[in-house]
Amino acid sequence: MQKEIMLEEGIAKSREKAKEDYVDIDYTLTHVPKTARKNWIQIFAVLLGFTFIVTTMAAGASLGTSLMLGDLIKVLLIGNIILSTYVGILCWIAAKTGLNSILLARYTLGKLGSKWTSIILGGTQVFWYAFQAAYMGKIFTISLGIEQYFIPVTIFWSLFMGAFALWGTKGMEIVAYLSIPPFLYLAYKIPAVSIETAGGIKNLFLIEPTSTITFAAAITIIIGAFIAGGTQAPNWARFAKSPKTGFIVGFVAFIVGNIVMAISGMLGGLVMQDGDMVNILMNMGILVMAMIILIFNIWTTNTTAAYSFGVAGAEFFNKPNKIPFVIGGLVIATIMAVTGIYEVFISFLTLLGIFVPSLGGLIIGDYLLNWRKSFPTIESVKFKMVRYSNLIAYVLATLGAYLSSVFEFGLPPLNGILLAIIFVFVMNAVFKLLGISDAHEVPEDSEYIY
């Protein structure tokens, strides 16, 4: 009996020591120190690999059946300039503060309020992971003629890809470097086959779409295709050596990657008049080649998605170790992948384009109003549970974005970003007029980041 008690005590001490010895090399719940900052090429490779995503191709393909090429190009440029500028600003703030998106939201919404950010950003990444795992399973089984094995194949790829997120940013860098060259070839091959099928570039501009969509709705889909991922770009940009580097790397990676991906899908959808990317690749006769290349692509983007929902879970439960939450997210995503998530893709993009931009706009607005000149370290601040002024600003901005989509006024994603920034200033002013204190407590001896 005594031996059993001593054994249990030994196990308990070992667990405590393991907790003490655990080193969070990803700085999940704190600032990335200057000594841990990375070369811009490393960050650029991860972010560019992150944008080389088959779902952006799929979004482009769905629009290719709805607009003529001239309008598609306008939609592509406007949507990606808005998205990339938004991402660049968030990356600037992340590099300045050394914090990821969810920790920045703690300053904006409070200790409890930021949990909503963990839910919405972590949840959307689980959805993305599930969709892409299903996509991998579908293209793999169709290419090899083994559709009956869709479920086990999808489960295998889902778990295999997620394993690399457990390595942290180093694992993602390795996969990103491997994936970029072959996927660039696919991004070239699809337009090349599209132009040849149409009989020349001039003929592409003459193809009439078989369905219709409004200009604003099309831009919302382009932005929605990667707005959730863009809002989490700070997870990697925080490792940049300067705010300027963070902005440039984020802006360039997103505008280049998203345009290349979307235009490939758009041209395929336009020529084939089919909004399903798998059908397009099959009709072009390049499905097997595409399968091999897309393995690397989806592997890259799902690794970063798994890392993101791991970080979100770590913040939600205030634990420095993301690994249990990566594993939990993988289980949920895998179940979703084999139970029909593939069928609600476009509806999901539209919702993201309405509800997520205002969250990033809120972070930007709060930073400009309260933290632009000096930023107290996260260990120094005594956070309020909820900052109600900013919570109200978020609700109003999201409502405004939603109503603008219903009544077709302006561009819903841009409206959400701008309204959030404006309402942060307005609601903070209102709270001050009412004499309501809604600021975090920052002790006099706090450390600051300038």
Side-chain angles (χ1 to χ4, degrees):
M1 183 71 179
Q2 190 172 358
K3 286 183 178 179
E4 289 179 1
I5 294 172
M6 290 176 66
L7 180 61
E8 288 177 5
E9 288 177 350
I11 292 172
K13 287 179 181 178
S14 296
R15 286 174 178 169
E16 289 299 318
K17 189 176 187 307
K19 289 180 181 179
E20 291 172 4
D21 292 344
Y22 176 76
V23 178
D24 181 20
I25 59 172
D26 292 318
Y27 305 97
T28 310
L29 297 178
T30 189
H31 306 266
V32 177
K34 295 295 183 184
T35 54
R37 301 300 175 104
K38 298 176 180 285
N39 186 287
W40 70 269
I41 295 176
Q42 294 172 287
I43 301 167
F44 182 75
V46 172
L47 288 179
L48 187 63
F50 194 28
T51 63
F52 284 0
I53 181 171
V54 70
T55 45
T56 305
M57 265 190 186
S62 70
L63 295 178
T65 63
S66 307
L67 295 167
M68 295 191 71
L69 184 56
D71 292 329
L72 286 172
I73 292 171
K74 292 176 186 175
V75 165
L76 187 63
L77 291 175
I78 294 172
N80 278 293
I81 287 171
I82 293 171
L83 175 62
S84 300
T85 302
Y86 163 87
V87 170
I89 294 171
L90 285 176
C91 288
W92 191 98
I93 296 172
K96 175 77 173 179
T97 62
L99 295 177
N100 60 45
S101 305
I102 294 172
L103 292 184
L104 287 170
R106 188 180 294 184
Y107 286 79
T108 305
L109 288 168
K111 199 170 183 179
L112 181 60
S114 67
K115 303 302 180 186
W116 167 246
T117 311
S118 300
I119 292 171
I120 192 169
L121 293 184
T124 54
Q125 290 307 301
V126 170
F127 183 99
W128 274 125
Y129 193 99
F131 177 81
Q132 292 204 123
Y135 210 99
M136 177 76 92
K138 183 176 181 181
I139 197 169
F140 197 89
T141 53
I142 290 176
S143 299
L144 300 179
I146 53 171
E147 291 94 329
Q148 67 272 28
Y149 296 108
F150 169 77
I151 291 178
V153 168
T154 301
I155 291 172
F156 166 76
W157 280 115
S158 180
L159 299 179
F160 175 79
M161 293 182 291
F164 280 78
L166 302 178
W167 289 8
T169 55
K170 186 63 180 176
M172 289 184 292
E173 286 170 25
I174 294 170
V175 179
Y177 286 131
L178 289 172
S179 71
I180 291 175
F183 202 62
L184 281 175
Y185 175 75
L186 182 62
Y188 149 77
K189 186 66 177 178
I190 294 172
V193 174
S194 299
I195 293 168
E196 183 182 350
T197 303
I201 295 176
K202 287 185 179 179
N203 290 338
L204 288 174
F205 286 89
L206 302 177
I207 298 175
E208 295 281 346
T210 54
S211 58
T212 58
I213 192 172
T214 65
F215 199 71
I219 291 176
T220 300
I221 288 173
I222 285 293
I223 295 175
F226 219 51
I227 189 71
T231 305
Q232 299 210 68
N235 290 354
W236 301 280
R238 64 199 169 110
F239 287 92
K241 292 183 178 180
S242 71
K244 181 180 178 181
T245 299
F247 176 86
I248 293 173
V249 166
F251 181 87
V252 174
F254 269 70
I255 201 163
V256 170
N258 280 313
I259 286 179
V260 169
M261 293 302 99
I263 196 67
S264 297
M266 281 178 176
L267 292 178
L270 180 68
V271 171
M272 300 296 173
Q273 284 301 298
D274 192 323
D276 190 307
M277 202 65 216
V278 175
N279 291 341
I280 291 170
L281 295 171
M282 187 184 300
N283 292 333
M284 286 182 170
I286 59 173
L287 186 60
V288 176
M289 178 197 71
M291 175 198 72
I292 297 169
I293 294 172
L294 286 173
I295 286 173
F296 284 101
N297 166 247
I298 298 174
W299 186 5
T300 301
T301 50
N302 261 6
T303 300
T304 48
Y307 179 88
S308 293
F309 59 66
V311 169
E315 196 285 331
F316 189 89
F317 291 99
N318 201 36
K319 301 290 184 182
N321 187 359
K322 69 183 185 307
I323 291 175
F325 308 103
V326 171
I327 294 171
L330 283 177
V331 172
I332 295 170
T334 303
I335 293 171
M336 293 170 68
V338 298
T339 53
I341 201 72
Y342 188 84
E343 306 302 326
V344 295
F345 176 55
I346 294 301
S347 299
F348 181 67
L349 292 188
T350 302
L351 287 174
L352 289 183
I354 293 171
F355 290 98
V356 175
S358 52
L359 182 59
L362 198 73
I363 292 172
I364 294 169
D366 185 62
Y367 179 83
L368 292 175
L369 177 64
N370 296 304
W371 316 112
R372 182 168 49 89
K373 294 181 179 179
S374 59
F375 195 91
T377 62
I378 198 165
E379 293 82 7
S380 301
V381 179
K382 294 182 180 179
F383 289 97
K384 292 180 70 70
M385 292 302 290
V386 179
R387 288 189 65 197
Y388 289 100
S389 59
N390 284 344
L391 181 61
I392 294 170
Y394 172 74
V395 172
L396 292 175
T398 304
L399 179 63
Y402 172 72
L403 292 175
S404 71
S405 72
V406 173
F407 295 104
E408 298 182 4
F409 176 75
L411 303 174
L414 182 60
N415 292 343
I417 295 168
L418 296 178
L419 284 173
I421 295 172
I422 292 168
F423 279 127
V424 164
F425 282 80
V426 171
M427 293 311 304
N428 272 266
V430 168
F431 270 52
K432 284 183 180 179
L433 284 174
L434 295 175
I436 301 173
S437 176
D438 197 44
H440 301 302
E441 183 182 342
V442 182
E444 293 183 3
D445 59 348
S446 295
E447 294 181 9
Y448 286 83
I449 296 171
Y450 294 96

